[in-house]
Amino acid sequence: MIRKFMLSLLILIAATTAAHAEEQSFSDRKAHLTEIHALRVGYGSGTVRIVLDVAKPLEFTESYVENPSRMILDLKNAWLNSTVQKEIELKSLAAKKVRIAQFNPTTVRIVIETAAATKPFNLAGGTTGHRFVIDIGNDEYKENPELNKPEQPKPAEPTKPPATEIPKDVEVVDTDALKEQQEQRIKEQREREKELLAQREREKQERELKEKRERELKEQQERALKEQQEQRIKEQREREKQLKEQQEREKREKELKEKREKELKEQQERALKEQQEQRIKEQREREKQLKEQEKREKRERDKKAKDKDKDKSKDKNDGDKEVDTPFGKLDTDLEDITALGGRVIVIDPGHGGNDAGAIGPTGVMEKSVTLKVALELRKLLEAEGATVIMTRETDTTVSYKGAKASDIEELGARCEVANRAGADIFISIHADSFTRPEARGTTGYYYSGSTTGRGQRLADCIRRNLVEQLGTPSRGTQPCNFYVVRHTDMPATLIELGFISNKDEEKLLDSKEGVQKAAQGILDGIEDYFG
């Protein structure tokens, strides 16, 4: 018994000495710490405000744990006055309870049982110069006077009788039990700290996982964007390559086309030059023959004059003897039999050379059709005894300037051929064209300024016979102001055989039968004109 009492006394002395030393050490530290003088609670509508009276702003950290939901605030470099109420039950749905304690020598911990939003902050003012405020609740705190009425003081409890002294023979409290309670509290504290660390570790892992996912998503998006950009660049380069190849092809085709056109032009110029030289040669030959013929005729006239003088002298000797001749000299030939004998007719095949004229749906060119019909017509007219002059006999221009000639110069050259020959009539052969493919028919044109009416009669005769031969619709005989009928000195007409832009009439005019019928129709019209 005595031994136990002594042991208890030693423990008490050791505890007192330690407490005194700790108290002296704490007194030294608190000079550098912020004192928490008081803890007050205010209530609003669905909100709670906890206020700590302090001398200066506090640094703090906050964390959260579950089961039950709690907010933990650690106030750094602070100490708790022993007069502060350590635990308060809260009269609000926003929070149930608040506890405050000295967690370690330099930290005061506040634990609030709440699942609502919390907002801790420092606020200047108050009796101690500063306040640390914690607002709890999802709405802004507004004080509710009804909830903040001071509680009625509780009736005084009856005074307990003084404790009686423990007799010496009564056992002292078991220190082992006290030690176990302390160890249990330390264990619970460590468990809470472990749980808090685990919670922080989970939050850290979640943050890291979230950051990793965001980083992976960002990298994936960047890769996709980079691939898209590379694909666009690749497609752009491919398009540029194709465009470059196309441009090179077009350039080669253009150069080849220009080369062909140049060769064709040179060929046409050579042909034109040869034709012009041939014409000049033929013209000189004709002039030479004409001069020789004139010389022969002059010699014959001179000879006849001499013979006539001799005959006169002979007639005087023989008298006026009459000679009976049963037949006179016969001058009847082809010119006396047909209406066209001795007629000079100029045929003008429209267009030619570098001027293709109108082009049909299948590519038939007007200049080819008009030349075929003109050549066939020449054969028919010459068979009837007419003298035929062609403005062109091949695919060429008429003007000596060739492709360099203007339209007026080319048309003027055709008129000059007819005027120089002193022709009886002038016929210009063409094929019509229109944007609407259904247009069709044969038309005769004459100069509207003519006063004799012979050009109109010529156009009308040819048009009527062409319609009869070709079977095309008649579009009538119409006045015009075309250059070739206006600047020729003889009756002239411009004939539109049919519409080369119409596929049926194009086929007809390009056929051998159609060419023969067109030539025959013009011949019949000329014969009707000369009666």
Side-chain angles (χ1 to χ4, degrees):
M1 178 68 72
I2 296 172
R3 186 166 52 188
K4 287 184 179 180
F5 177 75
M6 292 299 293
L7 181 61
S8 297
L9 182 61
L10 288 173
I11 292 170
L12 182 60
I13 292 169
T16 304
T17 305
H20 180 71
E22 185 177 354
E23 184 178 353
Q24 186 174 2
S25 176
F26 178 70
S27 299
D28 294 336
R29 288 198 311 272
K30 74 178 182 180
H32 305 287
L33 302 177
T34 301
E35 181 184 0
I36 299 174
H37 296 277
L39 184 148
R40 295 178 284 111
V41 177
Y43 297 97
S45 299
T47 59
V48 178
R49 171 169 283 185
I50 298 171
V51 180
L52 303 181
D53 291 330
V54 294
K56 58 183 179 179
L58 292 173
E59 294 181 6
F60 62 93
T61 59
E62 55 183 303
S63 57
Y64 300 87
V65 295
E66 299 294 336
N67 298 320
S69 298
R70 286 163 290 166
M71 176 199 182
I72 299 173
L73 279 169
D74 286 337
L75 308 179
K76 306 297 183 181
N77 298 320
W79 67 280
L80 183 65
N81 192 299
S82 59
T83 61
V84 177
Q85 188 175 350
K86 305 298 188 295
E87 184 173 321
I88 300 175
E89 296 286 341
L90 301 176
K91 302 176 294 182
S92 174
L93 295 175
K96 293 181 179 180
K97 185 186 294 185
V98 59
R99 299 192 300 274
I100 188 169
Q102 190 78 39
F103 180 66
N104 61 38
T106 60
T107 304
V108 174
R109 171 167 286 184
I110 301 174
V111 179
I112 304 170
E113 293 184 14
T114 179
T118 58
K119 181 183 177 183
F121 57 93
N122 288 287
L123 183 66
T127 57
T128 59
H130 216 84
R131 291 164 289 175
F132 183 77
V133 181
I134 307 166
D135 282 345
I136 306 170
N138 297 323
D139 297 325
E140 186 178 354
Y141 174 77
K142 292 181 180 180
E143 186 176 1
N144 189 332
E146 293 295 327
L147 298 174
N148 291 313
K149 288 181 179 179
E151 294 183 358
Q152 295 295 329
K154 294 181 181 180
E157 295 181 358
T159 304
K160 292 182 181 181
T164 57
E165 272 189 19
I166 299 174
K168 292 181 180 181
D169 57 351
V170 177
E171 277 189 20
V172 181
V173 176
D174 190 355
T175 56
D176 292 336
L178 179 62
K179 186 177 180 182
E180 287 177 2
Q181 289 178 1
Q182 290 177 342
E183 289 176 352
Q184 182 64 29
R185 283 197 295 273
I186 292 170
K187 184 178 179 182
E188 290 175 357
Q189 180 66 23
R190 287 176 179 172
E191 283 293 330
R192 286 194 296 271
E193 290 178 353
K194 183 178 180 182
E195 183 181 353
L196 181 60
L197 289 172
Q199 174 69 16
R200 288 176 180 175
E201 186 65 25
R202 285 195 299 272
E203 291 175 354
K204 181 181 178 182
Q205 290 175 354
E206 289 175 358
R207 282 197 305 272
E208 289 176 351
L209 180 61
K210 183 179 178 182
E211 289 173 357
K212 182 180 178 182
R213 288 175 179 171
E214 290 176 352
R215 188 166 57 253
E216 289 175 350
L217 179 61
K218 185 177 179 181
E219 290 174 355
Q220 183 179 356
Q221 291 174 343
E222 288 176 352
R223 282 196 302 271
L225 180 62
K226 186 177 180 181
E227 289 174 359
Q228 290 176 358
Q229 290 174 342
E230 289 175 351
Q231 182 65 23
R232 283 198 294 269
I233 292 170
K234 184 179 178 181
E235 291 174 355
Q236 179 67 21
R237 287 176 178 171
E238 189 65 27
R239 285 195 296 269
E240 290 175 354
K241 182 180 177 182
Q242 292 175 356
L243 180 61
K244 188 176 180 181
E245 290 175 353
Q246 183 180 354
Q247 289 173 345
E248 288 176 354
R249 284 196 303 270
E250 290 175 353
K251 184 180 179 181
R252 287 194 299 269
E253 290 173 358
K254 184 179 178 182
E255 290 174 351
L256 182 60
K257 183 179 178 182
E258 290 175 351
K259 183 180 178 181
R260 289 175 179 171
E261 288 177 352
K262 184 178 180 181
E263 291 175 352
L264 179 61
K265 185 177 179 182
E266 290 174 353
Q267 184 179 354
Q268 290 174 345
E269 288 176 352
R270 283 196 302 271
L272 178 62
K273 186 176 180 181
E274 290 173 0
Q275 289 175 2
Q276 289 174 342
E277 290 174 353
Q278 183 65 27
R279 286 199 195 101
I280 293 170
K281 184 178 179 180
E282 291 174 355
Q283 180 67 23
R284 287 175 179 172
E285 189 66 29
R286 285 195 296 270
E287 290 175 354
K288 182 179 178 181
Q289 291 174 359
L290 184 60
K291 286 180 181 180
E292 289 176 355
Q293 184 179 353
E294 288 176 352
K295 287 179 181 180
R296 284 195 303 270
E297 289 175 353
K298 185 179 181 182
R299 285 195 299 270
E300 288 176 0
R301 283 196 301 272
D302 292 343
K303 185 179 178 182
K304 285 181 180 180
K306 290 180 182 180
D307 291 342
K308 190 174 181 182
D309 290 341
K310 289 180 181 180
D311 289 341
K312 284 181 180 180
S313 151
K314 188 177 180 181
D315 288 342
K316 283 182 180 181
N317 296 325
D318 295 338
D320 298 325
K321 187 178 180 179
E322 190 176 305
V323 180
D324 185 16
T325 55
F327 299 100
K329 186 179 179 182
L330 298 178
D331 293 328
T332 59
D333 56 12
L334 188 62
E335 292 180 2
D336 298 322
I337 295 172
T338 66
L340 300 181
R343 300 291 186 183
V344 178
I345 300 172
V346 173
I347 303 174
D348 173 38
H351 308 282
N354 64 326
D355 179 13
I359 300 175
T362 64
V364 177
M365 291 183 285
E366 182 182 0
K367 68 175 183 178
S368 301
V369 171
T370 59
L371 182 59
K372 289 178 184 178
V373 174
L375 292 172
E376 183 67 21
L377 177 60
R378 180 174 70 176
K379 289 195 299 184
L380 297 177
L381 287 170
E382 288 177 344
E384 294 295 323
T387 300
V388 180
I389 299 174
M390 302 278 287
T391 57
R392 68 181 180 95
E393 298 177 358
T394 60
D395 183 17
T396 183
T397 56
V398 179
S399 172
Y400 71 93
K401 291 185 178 181
K404 295 181 180 180
S406 65
D407 292 343
I408 297 300
E409 289 172 335
E410 175 65 15
L411 296 173
R414 295 170 189 257
C415 295
E416 186 180 353
V417 171
N419 294 335
R420 189 171 61 244
D424 292 303
I425 59 172
F426 174 87
I427 301 169
S428 185
I429 303 174
H430 288 261
D432 218 336
S433 179
F434 194 59
T435 53
R436 291 170 55 191
E438 62 268 20
R440 56 188 303 170
T442 303
T443 314
Y445 289 99
Y446 65 92
Y447 177 42
S448 58
S450 174
T451 57
T452 63
R454 288 181 294 173
Q456 181 178 357
R457 182 169 173 271
L458 176 63
D460 195 56
C461 289
I462 294 175
R463 176 195 53 79
R464 281 190 286 103
N465 283 277
L466 272 173
V467 169
E468 184 178 343
Q469 286 289 333
L470 295 173
T472 52
S474 174
R475 296 177 69 88
T477 303
Q478 301 179 23
C480 70
N481 196 33
F482 297 145
Y483 192 95
V484 292
V485 297
R486 190 171 80 247
H487 290 86
T488 43
D489 300 336
M490 68 292 302
T493 181
L494 187 147
I495 295 296
E496 297 283 4
L497 301 172
F499 277 79
I500 200 169
S501 55
N502 181 285
K503 63 178 181 179
D504 294 330
E505 294 191 354
E506 177 199 32
K507 183 177 179 181
L508 173 65
L509 296 176
D510 191 45
S511 67
K512 184 177 180 180
E513 182 183 3
V515 169
Q516 292 173 346
K517 286 184 176 182
Q520 186 63 48
I522 297 173
L523 173 64
D524 293 345
I526 294 172
E527 288 179 338
D528 286 353
Y529 173 76
F530 285 114

